[in-house]
Structure formats: C-alpha cells, structure tokens
Amino acid sequence: DLILGPFARAALPGMGADELDLYEILIEQNDHDLYAWIAGRPSRPGTGPAALHPLLDRIAAFARERASQSRG
C-alpha cells in the first residue's frame, strides 16, 4: 500500500485500457512477491512476470523518485 497507493493516485487516471488491465493483474499478485519485484529494480530488472515488466519498472521508478524527494 505504501508503494502502490501513491502510484495509483498519480498514474491510474492517465492509463489506457491495456495498462489498466495489466495493473489489475499486478494487484492480484502476492504482496511479498510484488515488493520483491519492485524493490529489486533496477539491479534485477527481469524479476516478475514478463508481461508486467514495463509496469513494474514504472512503479519502481516512481517509488525511487518519491524516496529521493522525501530525502531532500
């Protein structure tokens, strides 16, 4: 929720139908797996289901940006 909540508020309104379908598949995944797939990027970019890689990359970049902004 700490990662996907802010991402959803920021990104979902601008997503097309295909991206929203992928996001729906993504949120049905196990939370522990999702965290590992997102937190492991960019050092392990190929983790997680291949169809979700672009979305996982986008979420990871969003989370890194938020973290860097909060540091200052």
Side-chain angles (χ1 to χ4, degrees):
D1 290 342
L2 295 174
I3 295 171
L4 293 180
F7 174 81
R9 282 190 294 280
L12 262 54
M15 284 186 174
D18 290 342
E19 286 180 304
L20 290 171
D21 289 344
L22 287 175
Y23 189 79
E24 188 172 325
I25 292 168
L26 180 104
I27 61 172
E28 292 173 355
Q29 306 303 307
N30 178 287
D31 288 345
H32 294 289
D33 290 338
L34 278 174
Y35 181 78
W37 298 338
I38 293 167
R41 284 170 157 67
S43 61
R44 292 187 353 253
T47 57
L52 299 177
H53 287 181
L55 184 55
L56 290 166
D57 291 342
R58 185 173 172 191
I59 293 167
F62 178 86
R64 282 191 308 276
E65 179 65 26
R66 284 192 73 228
S68 70
Q69 288 175 355
S70 69
R71 283 185 240 135

